[in-house]
Amino acid sequence: MRDATKSVHQPKISEEGYTALGVPTHRASTIVFPDAEAYATRSQRDLDGYSYGLHGTPTQRVLEAQLTALENGLKTVILPSGQAAIAVVLLSCLKPGDHVLVADNAYPPVIGLCRNFLEPRGIEWSVFEPGIGAGIEDVVRDNTRLIWMESPGSTTMEIEDVPAITAIAKRRGILTGIDNTWATPLLFKPLDHGVDFSIQALTKYPGGHSDLLMGSVSVKDLDLRKALRDTMRMLGFGVSPDAVQLVLRGLETMAVRLAHVGRVAGEIAAELESRGVGPVLFPALASSPGHAIWKRDFAGASGLFSVVLPAAHEARLDAALNGLRYFAIGASWGGTRSLIAPMSVKTSRQMPHPHKDRIILRVNIGVEDPSDLREDLDGFFTALAG
């Protein structure tokens, strides 16, 4: 073997006696095969097998298996973002002539996907009132194929009666999916409540450090998993093994981080409500929409809540935001840093809503010292009040 060849072909070494706690990061585009027959029959491999790097390496299989265990599912697929996970669910379920029913409080890009991509391709969509519960039966259609939920709802934090919705959906032969990013499977397990597709933006709490984009879909039905994988293959969706490794690392501390941010968020949300800064939207508060259902179905709360600003305070919002010391101004959430983001549901909501014309502050509690966060928020709301 000449030097140029030696530079490419690594020598075999023994791994006997080597065991590490970290999951190895397998980077690959090309997967090689032991012989010609194995290559010729690669398409016959099981979905968990390896045929091309786009469809996963052992690093990704570990993450899929770990999420599946947390979700109490059978299989999980990994996608480049939470929105990609939602899109693949819709595209794997729906065909021209079908109808999808979407909660009016869903992540706004879901409505954009329905309006700008599905509708021009002959797929119907409509929204339902958040918190409708068993009333969902009054708005499903004969051609409804999928009901899409988000609980708590994006920005406005309504809780869905998931068991009531899934019971009706199963009786009517309708699939159900939910964005469970706020709770993660540590606080709510959708598949145990009859949901067909449990989606997470792994970008948030599983990644945990605001430095990656990824999503997941977990199911209990292998046919649904195959449809997801087929759609992903056709669209060319894959994820980086290095990003997968970051999620695996983040998962190791997720339970500790969630317990901390949930406790601190609960305390701060209650303090802000008692100060009368504006309606505080947080499922753990008795005054928040769906609190009783949250208490029944969830194991706890995460660190994200919203505050509805009085109209009189909106003119001072920019100055108050610029005075923050520990809270950063930014979209997304679920990382170690505390964040505030002014939001509006005026254009994203299709139905009337009591806060539709208000600015809503989305507050993400991070892992900083709670005393520092309280001081920062005290100065912020004092500046808002003028």
Side-chain angles (χ1 to χ4, degrees):
M1 184 185 297
R2 293 165 176 80
D3 285 349
T5 307
K6 289 179 183 177
S7 299
V8 175
H9 292 252
Q10 294 85 13
K12 301 293 184 182
I13 63 168
S14 171
E15 295 186 6
E16 183 178 353
Y18 175 80
T19 303
L21 292 174
V23 178
T25 303
H26 293 272
R27 303 180 186 92
S29 56
T30 298
I31 305 295
V32 297
F33 299 83
D35 52 48
E37 182 182 3
Y39 178 75
T41 59
R42 66 192 184 280
S43 63
Q44 300 172 23
R45 289 190 170 189
D46 182 85
L47 287 176
D48 291 319
Y50 305 103
S51 59
Y52 188 59
L54 181 69
H55 312 307
T57 71
T59 310
Q60 182 171 326
R61 295 291 180 265
V62 174
L63 179 57
E64 291 169 353
Q66 191 167 8
L67 292 173
T68 298
L70 289 171
E71 295 269 14
N72 288 344
L74 280 180
K75 291 293 178 182
T76 295
V77 299
I78 309 296
L79 293 112
S81 68
Q83 175 66 2
I86 295 168
V88 164
V89 170
L90 270 61
L91 293 173
S92 70
C93 292
L94 303 170
K95 62 183 185 302
D98 288 342
H99 169 251
V100 57
L101 195 53
V102 181
D104 196 34
N105 59 1
Y107 180 49
V110 179
I111 298 297
L113 176 68
C114 291
R115 176 183 289 118
N116 301 316
F117 189 85
L118 300 182
E119 184 178 323
R121 288 159 179 81
I123 297 170
E124 301 173 13
W125 66 279
S126 61
V127 298
F128 66 90
E129 185 72 37
I132 196 171
I136 197 80
E137 187 146 31
D138 296 330
V139 293
V140 298
R141 304 176 184 174
D142 291 340
N143 62 336
T144 301
R145 173 64 174 155
L146 176 68
I147 297 172
W148 183 257
M149 299 171 279
E150 184 169 333
S151 185
S154 188
T155 303
T156 46
M157 297 285 165
E158 301 94 339
I159 295 288
E160 299 294 350
D161 190 340
V162 173
I165 291 175
T166 58
I168 290 168
K170 288 187 182 304
R171 179 162 50 81
R172 298 285 296 265
I174 300 169
L175 294 168
T176 54
I178 191 169
D179 186 333
N180 193 42
T181 301
W182 183 89
T184 83
L186 297 186
L187 303 179
F188 181 64
K189 298 188 187 294
L191 300 181
D192 287 353
H193 293 272
V195 176
D196 295 297
F197 301 99
S198 178
I199 285 82
Q200 291 185 77
L202 304 178
T203 307
K204 309 297 196 295
Y205 288 116
H209 294 79
S210 306
D211 57 1
L212 62 91
L213 294 166
M214 201 174 298
S216 67
V217 187
S218 297
V219 297
K220 282 189 172 182
D221 185 312
L222 295 182
D223 288 338
L224 295 180
R225 184 264 197 127
K226 184 178 186 306
L228 292 169
R229 285 287 297 270
D230 287 347
T231 302
M232 292 166 59
R233 185 181 298 270
M234 287 183 289
L235 295 175
F237 278 148
V239 295
S240 162
D242 294 279
V244 169
Q245 177 61 252
L246 290 176
V247 177
L248 287 166
R249 187 178 65 177
L251 282 175
E252 294 185 18
T253 61
M254 184 171 72
V256 178
R257 288 184 283 106
L258 267 179
H260 173 82
V261 300
R263 175 181 61 80
V264 175
E267 294 170 356
I268 290 178
E271 292 164 8
L272 292 176
E273 184 176 59
S274 69
R275 284 182 55 173
V277 300
V280 180
L281 309 176
F282 187 56
L285 295 177
S287 59
S288 199
H291 170 73
I293 297 173
W294 169 83
K295 193 172 182 179
R296 182 193 72 190
D297 293 345
F298 286 67
S302 67
L304 186 74
F305 63 89
S306 296
V307 180
V308 183
L309 289 189
H313 293 178
E314 292 179 5
R316 292 183 286 273
L317 176 58
D318 287 356
L321 288 170
N322 292 339
L324 288 166
R325 297 174 59 198
Y326 304 115
F327 280 86
I329 306 166
S332 196
W333 43 273
T336 57
R337 287 287 302 275
S338 293
L339 299 169
I340 284 183
M343 309 293 290
S344 172
V345 299
K346 186 171 186 177
T347 58
S348 62
R349 299 293 283 259
Q350 312 300 303
M351 307 175 80
H353 188 273
H355 307 312
K356 196 165 185 176
D357 294 322
R358 296 272 65 82
I359 291 177
I360 303 174
L361 292 176
R362 192 174 63 192
V363 182
N364 172 73
I365 299 298
V367 300
E368 301 96 336
D369 189 292
S371 296
D372 288 330
L373 300 182
R374 286 184 170 90
E375 289 176 9
D376 214 16
L377 287 174
D378 182 65
F380 173 78
F381 283 105
T382 298
L384 272 181

